[in-house]
Structures are given as structure tokens and as C-alpha cells.
């Protein structure tokens, strides 16, 4: 028995020593690409990010924090804590006009960051921060860093960052690149322009990798590439997985090759990981933990071996489209990879249809695709196309309104009773795809009858950016009002078989725009509410 206990203690002791044997590295570089989604890396043309995935460890299921806005997430990344601790809850946050005080105050009354902790524990450390969004500069105490460079554009930003690495070799170099988020807001996440922006970001990451190569510094440097949030449509700030999940990639000294981390990673773990790599003691108010599973000396659980193969890109991205047909193309960054796909929503295997030419879609279809090459297989890419054909019945009445010039902006749903519509008409569905509208500051009221075939309890789901409200008869079932990113609210109601009048009110403040209605019936199956469920209002 004593022998068994001694053996167990020896095993535990060796595991503890192994976990603590990571030696401090000379330089930690964190590159944060604003708005970069896991899908942007996985389906984009990203040879440099793919290189460090292969030479390091990664997760495509790391999470940011809510709200999925930039400032709360960048703050969480550098402060090792959530908004409820550090108090940064929106992009409007400013140190002198904050409403939530930090749970722990450091320099300038701010919550402790990786920058301030490195300065406190190692006063002679070199710290450089280079960024091209002014909002990032609001989040840290400039007096604790040696370089505070607010640049313009990804090329100038990375040029300055590479110069800092080459000539000053900081202990901690943080680089923020903003343009991918701009592409998402401009044309939409996962559109061709978005993927072009991702490629441009990857080219900039190439410049940093080449600088590390030239300095032969991989044995003393760790590079982390991550993001603050993803996006849906043309916006973020909502509560969807596409907005919440972020890529998290790490490579360099002491980092294991070819590991996919399957333990939970949160964005506030980034500060803790940097502190661990630099040999710092983690601040007691930080709630994150270092991602030691990525390290050679780390635990033997929480990761799996990975032979990474990028997922196929599906183009154009799926959406509700007012078109009779759409031509869909599949591609993979790795030449020679075979792509298989399905059109019925099932899981593609190597025995599924092999992609050889563009696919013509004429009905609502879900495409799922996977790449295969030399025993490796990618994740599944998936997109759904809902086509509103020109011959679809138009049983939804809409009234379109524009905010009056010279009046206060609409930040809530307007009082439709006081407004005169700019335009009225009939459309196939409750949504924005078929209605001509201006960019911002408009509202639409939809009225129709919903056909219910089976009596029972129904759950209605209304997702919008910005505000919306749904009524069945005179009863408000969902109130999703306010200026916000894509947020879904749901409400249940008992419905008899027959026709039920429904009214959906929607307004667009600024930025992204979206409106989607879905229903879950007594069979517990959730479906979009499509045109064949509507009957023209009386």
C-alpha cells in the first residue's frame, strides 16, 4: 500500500513539475485582428495563420465576452477579466465618464492590465502597443508602456510593430489591426470583400513572422493571434455564436506543435497566458487562466492532436435572397484537396458528391462541404440559401417610414400612429430582402395572417438589428426594441388552428441591419416562417 501511495505521489509530483517547467520567454507578441471570425481563418486564404496553426496550437471555439462589442472584448483580453470586473461595457466607455467602477483599481483608477502588471513586477521591461483604432487607446494607462503608437491602416500598423520588434525587442508587443471589422460592417461578414480583408491581415501577419524568422528568435518568442469578436450580416454586438466565438492561435518557444485545444478558452485567458509566459504572477483579481494545454510542458489533457486542413469556402455566403436562382462555388486554400458536399443538410463524408463545377440552386437549400487530403479532413462549412422567387406569392403588407429630417434620431421604435408611410406595398415575407430602403434611420411595419395547421403552443423567435416588436392580434408577444446588434428574443403563445393576424414592427438606427422570424411548433422543430405560411391580411 505504501508503495502504491509513493508511486501516486511521484506521478503527481512529476506532473506538477512538468506543468511549472515552462521557462519565461523573452518576447510575447499578441496580434489582435478586429472582427476576425474563426470562419474567416478556416475558410479564408490565410497561409501564415495556417503555418502557425501547424507549428503551434489553436482553437476555433474560443469565446469573447458579452456584449460582443469591441471595447469590452479588448479590455477583457488585456485585463484578464470580464466586463463585470473591469467595467468596460461599451465602445462609448471613457475613464472619466464610466458608470461601473472596476472591482480592483490600479494605476489611474483602472483595472489592472497585462501592461500595468508587467510594469509593476518588472519595472525595466519594454512594452510596446501599436494600434489603428483610437478606441483601443482608451483602454490602458499610456504611462506604463514605452511605446503607445496610434497608427492608421494595417500596413502602417504592422510596419511600426515590426520595427519595434527588430530594433527594440520589447518584452511584450501588442498589435491591433482594425480593417477586417471595417470590411464586415461595410459588405458583411464572410462576403468576398471580407475574405479579401482577412487575406490582407494575413499578409501583415506574414511580415511579423518573417521578422521573427530573420532574427532566428522562435526559441525565445511566442506569437498569439486572436480577435475580439466575429459578426453576423453587417454587424456585431448581439448574442449569437457567430459573434461570440473567436480564433485563438499560439506558436513559438515552448509551444506544442499540432495541438487543437478543446478545453474552454475565453478571451480573458490571453492576458493570463502572456503573464505566465513572461514569468509573472497572475493578478489575484483576474479570473482567466493561462492556456497551459498549448505548451509542451502543459497538462496531458484538454487537447487533441491535429493535422489541420482548412475548411472549404462557400461563395456567395448563404442568405435570404430575392432571386430565382443562385450559383454557388466551393474552394479550398490547399491545392489538390478534394471537396465533397451535400444539399440536404446531412454531414458530408468522403463518399458524398465530389465538387467539380459550380452548383446551381433554385430552391431553399443548405449546402454543407468538407475537404479531404492525404488522410486529413477539414471541418464542415455550411450555408443556407433561402430564395424568394419572382413568382412567390406576396401576402405580407408593408409600410415603410423614414425618420424626419431635423428631428432627433430614432433610437427606439417610433410611434407608428403619428407617422405617414413613405411607401407601402406587398412583399413575400417578413424581412428586409425585397424592400427598397435607405441605409439608416428607417422603420417598417409588416402586417399579415399566419396560417396555423395544428392547435397548440408555439414559440416565436424574432431576431433583429436594430429594434423590433411582434404582436399576434393585439397582444405583444416579443419586445426586442432598442438600438443594438443582432439579438434574438422569443415568446410563446397558444394558437388555435386557422388564421392569426401578426404585426412586426422594425427600425434601423445605424450600422448593420437584419430581421428574421422563426417559429417552433408543438413538434419542437424550429423553422423560418416562409412565404407559404402567410395569407394576405383582410
Amino acid at each position: 500500500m505504501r508503495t502504491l501511495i509513493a508511486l501516486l505521489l511521484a506521478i503527481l509530483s512529476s506532473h506538477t513539475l512538468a506543468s511549472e517547467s515552462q521557462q519565461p520567454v523573452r518576447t510575447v507578441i499578441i496580434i489582435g485582428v478586429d472582427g476576425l471570425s474563426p470562419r474567416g481563418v478556416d475558410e479564408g486564404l490565410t497561409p501564415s495563420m495556417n503555418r502557425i496553426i501547424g507549428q503551434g496550437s489553436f482553437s476555433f471555439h474560443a469565446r469573447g465576452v458579452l456584449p460582443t462589442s469591441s471595447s469590452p472584448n479588448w479590455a477583457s483580453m488585456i485585463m484578464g477579466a470580464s466586463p463585470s470586473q473591469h467595467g468596460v461595457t461599451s465602445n462609448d466607455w471613457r475613464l472619466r465618464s464610466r458608470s461601473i467602477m472596476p472591482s480592483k483599481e490600479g494605476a489611474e483608477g483602472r483595472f489592472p492590465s497585462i501592461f500595468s502588471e508587467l510594469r509593476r513586477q518588472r519595472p525595466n521591461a519594454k512594452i510596446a502597443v501599436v494600434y489603428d483604432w483610437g478606441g483601443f487607446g482608451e483602454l490602458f494607462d499610456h504611462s506604463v508602456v514605452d511605446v503607445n503608437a496610434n497608427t492608421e491602416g494595417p500596413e502602417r500598423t504592422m510596419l511600426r510593430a515590426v520595427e519595434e520588434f527588430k530594433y527594440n525587442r520589447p518584452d511584450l508587443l501588442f498589435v491591433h489591426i482594425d480593417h477586417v471589422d471595417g470590411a464586415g460592417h461595410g459588405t458583411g461578414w464572410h462576403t468576398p470583400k471580407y475574405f479579401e480583408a482577412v487575406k490582407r491581415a494575413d499578409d501583415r501577419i506574414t511580415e511579423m513572422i518573417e521578422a521573427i524568422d530573420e532574427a532566428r528568435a522562435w526559441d525565445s518568442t511566442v506569437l498569439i493571434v486572436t480577435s475580439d469578436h466575429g459578426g453576423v450580416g453587417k454587424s456585431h454586438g448581439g448574442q449569437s455564436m457567430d459573434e461570440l466565438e473567436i480564433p485563438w492561435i499560439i506558436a513559438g518557444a515552448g509551444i506544442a506543435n499540432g495541438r487543437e485545444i478543446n478545453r474552454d478558452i475565453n478571451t480573458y485567458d490571453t492576458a493570463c497566458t502572456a503573464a505566465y509566459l513572461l514569468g509573472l504572477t497572475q493578478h489575484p483579481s483576474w479570473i482567466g487562466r493561462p492556456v497551459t494545454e498549448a505548451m509542451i510542458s502543459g497538462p496531458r489533457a484538454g487537447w487533441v492532436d491535429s493535422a489541420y486542413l482548412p475548411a472549404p469556402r462557400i461563395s456567395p455566403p448563404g442568405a435570404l435572397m430575392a432571386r430565382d436562382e443562385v450559383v454557388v462555388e466551393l474552394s479550398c486554400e490547399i491545392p489538390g484537396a478534394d471537396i465533397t458536399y451535400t444539399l440536404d443538410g446531412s454531414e458530408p463524408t468522403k463518399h458524398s458528391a465530389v465538387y467539380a463545377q459550380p452548383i446551381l440552386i433554385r430552391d431553399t437549400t443548405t449546402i454543407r462541404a468538407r475537404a479531404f487530403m492525404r488522410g486529413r479532413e477539414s471541418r464542415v462549412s455550411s450555408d443556407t440559401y433561402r430564395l424568394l422567387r419572382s413568382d412567390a406569392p406576396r401576402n405580407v403588407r408593408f409600410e415603410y417610414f423614414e425618420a424626419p429630417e431635423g428631428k432627433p434620431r430614432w433610437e427606439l421604435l417610433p410611434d407608428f400612429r403619428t407617422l405617414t408611410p413613405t411607401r407601402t406595398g406587398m412583399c413575400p415575407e417578413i424581412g428586409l430582402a425585397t424592400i427598397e430602403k435607405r441605409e439608416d434611420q428607417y422603420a417598417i411595419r409588416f402586417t399579415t395572417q399566419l396560417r396555423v395547421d395544428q392547435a397548440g403552443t408555439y414559440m416565436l423567435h424574432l431576431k433583429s438589428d436594430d429594434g423590433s416588436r411582434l404582436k399576434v392580434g393585439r397582444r405583444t408577444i416579443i419586445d426586442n426594441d432598442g438600438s443594438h446588434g443582432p439579438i434574438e428574443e422569443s415568446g410563446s403563445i397558444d394558437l388555435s388552428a386557422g388564421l392569426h393576424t401578426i404585426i412586426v414592427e422594425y427600425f434601423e438606427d445605424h450600422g448593420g441591419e437584419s430581421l428574421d422570424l422563426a417559429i417552433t411548433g408543438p413538434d419542437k422543430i424550429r423553422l423560418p416562417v416562409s412565404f407559404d405560411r402567410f395569407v394576405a391580411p383582410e
Side-chain angles (χ1 to χ4, degrees):
M1 185 66 177
R2 290 181 178 177
T3 303
L4 178 59
I5 292 173
L7 179 61
L8 289 172
L9 289 173
I11 293 172
L12 290 172
S13 176
S14 65
H15 176 72
T16 301
L17 289 172
S19 298
E20 296 177 351
S21 62
Q22 173 78 28
Q23 296 298 310
V25 299
R26 178 177 175 183
T27 300
V28 172
I29 303 171
I30 302 172
I31 300 178
V33 182
D34 206 309
L36 179 64
S37 69
R39 184 175 168 186
V41 180
D42 202 19
E43 299 178 26
L45 187 60
T46 54
S48 288
M49 282 186 269
N50 288 344
R51 171 185 164 182
I52 58 176
I53 285 173
Q55 294 180 354
S57 299
F58 74 101
S59 172
F60 284 154
H61 298 289
R63 294 192 177 193
V65 297
L66 297 176
T68 54
S69 302
S70 291
S71 290
N73 277 276
W74 291 120
S76 296
M77 185 187 299
I78 65 174
M79 296 178 186
S82 72
S84 60
Q85 279 86 42
H86 57 63
V88 180
T89 56
S90 77
N91 289 351
D92 297 326
W93 182 90
R94 296 295 182 270
L95 179 64
R96 303 307 174 195
S97 60
R98 56 192 175 183
S99 57
I100 298 177
M101 299 302 294
S103 60
K104 179 69 175 180
E105 291 191 11
E108 286 194 325
R110 299 174 184 269
F111 192 87
S113 71
I114 182 61
F115 308 138
S116 62
E117 281 302 287
L118 178 55
R119 177 64 66 217
R120 183 177 68 83
Q121 296 184 40
R122 289 169 51 184
N124 296 323
K126 296 179 181 178
I127 307 170
V129 184
V130 187
Y131 52 97
D132 69 344
W133 176 54
F136 187 86
E138 299 288 340
L139 303 176
F140 65 95
D141 179 2
H142 297 183
S143 69
V144 302
V145 304
D146 299 284
V147 174
N148 167 44
N150 184 1
T151 56
E152 183 176 350
E155 285 75 24
R156 292 181 180 179
T157 300
M158 191 57 72
L159 176 63
R160 179 63 188 275
V162 168
E163 288 176 345
E164 287 299 326
F165 176 78
K166 283 184 175 180
Y167 302 118
N168 296 318
R169 194 66 190 276
D171 298 86
L172 177 61
L173 171 58
F174 193 101
V175 188
H176 168 277
I177 298 175
D178 190 53
H179 72 286
V180 173
D181 182 70
H185 286 298
T187 64
W189 264 258
H190 312 128
T191 60
K193 290 292 185 182
Y194 176 84
F195 281 113
E196 288 177 14
V198 172
K199 174 61 170 64
R200 187 178 172 194
D202 191 76
D203 289 343
R204 305 289 75 75
I205 293 170
T206 300
E207 294 166 357
M208 182 60 74
I209 290 174
E210 289 176 346
I212 301 172
D213 288 341
E214 291 171 8
R216 298 183 179 181
W218 283 109
D219 60 350
S220 60
T221 302
V222 170
L223 172 63
I224 299 173
V225 176
T226 186
S227 177
D228 54 341
H229 56 73
V232 174
K234 294 183 179 180
S235 63
H236 58 88
Q239 300 175 12
S240 69
M241 294 304 295
D242 286 337
E243 297 161 277
L244 185 63
E245 286 193 324
I246 55 175
W248 201 89
I249 309 166
I250 185 169
I255 304 302
N257 295 344
R259 282 187 185 177
E260 181 174 2
I261 309 301
N262 56 16
R263 71 95 148 164
D264 293 344
I265 297 178
N266 296 291
T267 192
Y268 41 72
D269 294 333
T270 303
C272 304
T273 303
Y276 182 88
L277 291 167
L278 291 166
L280 306 181
T281 300
Q282 179 170 315
H283 193 282
S285 293
W286 290 2
I287 65 173
R289 56 192 176 119
V291 186
T292 55
E293 291 82 358
M295 302 171 195
I296 296 172
S297 61
R300 293 167 176 79
W303 56 271
V304 295
D305 286 323
S306 170
Y308 175 68
L309 181 65
R313 185 197 300 185
I314 304 175
S315 182
L320 174 63
M321 301 178 176
R323 300 167 65 173
D324 289 335
E325 60 184 34
V326 60
V327 176
V328 178
E329 296 183 346
L330 308 180
S331 60
C332 182
E333 179 187 333
I334 305 300
D338 292 324
I339 300 174
T340 68
Y341 67 94
T342 63
L343 301 178
D344 59 1
S346 62
E347 189 88 356
T349 69
K350 60 183 179 181
H351 303 296
S352 301
V354 177
Y355 177 75
Q357 61 185 11
I359 304 164
L360 181 63
I361 301 296
R362 288 197 171 100
D363 296 296
T364 294
T365 302
T366 295
I367 295 182
R368 307 192 76 198
R370 173 176 269 149
F372 296 87
M373 187 176 188
R374 298 174 186 169
R376 295 180 291 165
E377 62 181 56
S378 74
R379 289 167 179 74
V380 174
S381 302
S382 180
D383 262 319
T384 297
Y385 300 84
R386 292 181 57 216
L387 303 186
L388 291 177
R389 299 170 60 90
S390 57
D391 57 357
R394 296 175 175 265
N395 289 326
V396 179
R397 182 172 66 236
F398 74 87
E399 301 164 89
Y400 172 79
F401 306 83
E402 293 183 350
E405 297 292 337
K407 300 289 185 179
R409 293 180 61 89
W410 287 345
E411 296 181 346
L412 294 169
L413 282 164
D415 184 351
F416 289 92
R417 297 171 300 178
T418 66
L419 300 175
T420 300
T422 304
R423 188 171 62 257
T424 63
M426 302 296 290
C427 60
E429 291 192 0
I430 294 174
L432 307 179
T434 61
I435 298 177
E436 183 180 344
K437 51 200 177 295
R438 69 183 186 183
E439 185 173 355
D440 294 319
Q441 287 293 293
Y442 65 84
I444 307 172
R445 179 165 58 187
F446 300 89
T447 305
T448 187
Q449 295 186 95
L450 176 68
R451 190 186 74 250
V452 174
D453 297 324
Q454 177 187 353
T457 300
Y458 286 79
M459 182 71 72
L460 294 164
H461 315 276
L462 189 62
K463 184 176 183 179
S464 65
D465 174 1
D466 291 276
S468 60
R469 182 182 297 123
L470 183 147
K471 299 178 182 179
V472 178
R474 296 183 178 181
R475 178 181 171 188
T476 298
I477 304 301
I478 299 173
D479 191 344
N480 193 10
D481 200 3
S483 179
H484 54 69
I487 293 177
E488 179 175 289
E489 297 288 350
S490 301
S492 64
I493 185 173
D494 292 331
L495 296 175
S496 59
L499 300 179
H500 298 268
T501 298
I502 64 171
I503 298 172
V504 172
E505 299 169 337
Y506 166 83
F507 91 100
E508 159 64 3
D509 182 3
H510 63 87
E513 57 186 26
S514 63
L515 179 65
D516 296 288
L517 177 63
I519 189 169
T520 301
D523 58 4
K524 307 303 181 184
I525 297 175
R526 174 173 168 149
L527 295 169
V529 184
S530 57
F531 61 84
D532 55 359
R533 299 287 297 269
F534 295 130
V535 175
E538 297 177 350

